[in-house]
Amino acid sequence: TNLTLTSTDSGAIAASWISGSNENAEVYTAQLSASPYGGYQWSAPLNITNDDAADSNLEVVALNNNRLLVTTQKKREIQSSDC
């Protein structure tokens, strides 16, 4: 897992990470924000990618309006067979 913590404009913290390996590696993000009951709480993880390509080298940048720019390197192995 490649965990990245990023602060947004509103002061919330976004956690982004890669879960899984090889073709099952997918990117997730969750946000830590103030709870209406006091303290802090994490949002449910959001799956950003869902494909057959492996994700690596996670980079996250906070943009305006509490948005995140999430980039990864994709690697897809192509298998060939002789016919």
Side-chain angles (χ1 to χ4, degrees):
T1 60
N2 184 7
L3 177 65
T4 301
L5 298 176
T6 308
S7 178
T8 66
D9 286 347
S10 67
I13 301 294
S16 305
W17 66 95
I18 296 175
S19 181
S21 61
N22 300 324
E23 291 80 26
N24 293 321
E26 303 299 344
V27 178
Y28 292 85
T29 190
Q31 185 170 326
L32 179 68
S33 56
S35 169
Y37 307 106
Y40 294 88
Q41 64 185 21
W42 285 102
S43 67
L46 173 66
N47 185 342
I48 296 177
T49 62
N50 187 11
D51 55 28
D52 293 335
D55 291 285
S56 62
N57 299 322
L58 177 66
E59 296 286 336
V60 182
V61 176
L63 302 175
N64 294 332
N65 300 323
N66 298 314
R67 293 181 176 205
L68 299 175
L69 173 63
V70 179
T71 62
T72 64
Q73 259 185 331
K74 295 278 191 181
K75 180 180 178 183
R76 178 180 239 170
E77 297 207 14
I78 299 173
Q79 298 180 5
S80 63
S81 61
D82 293 332
C83 296

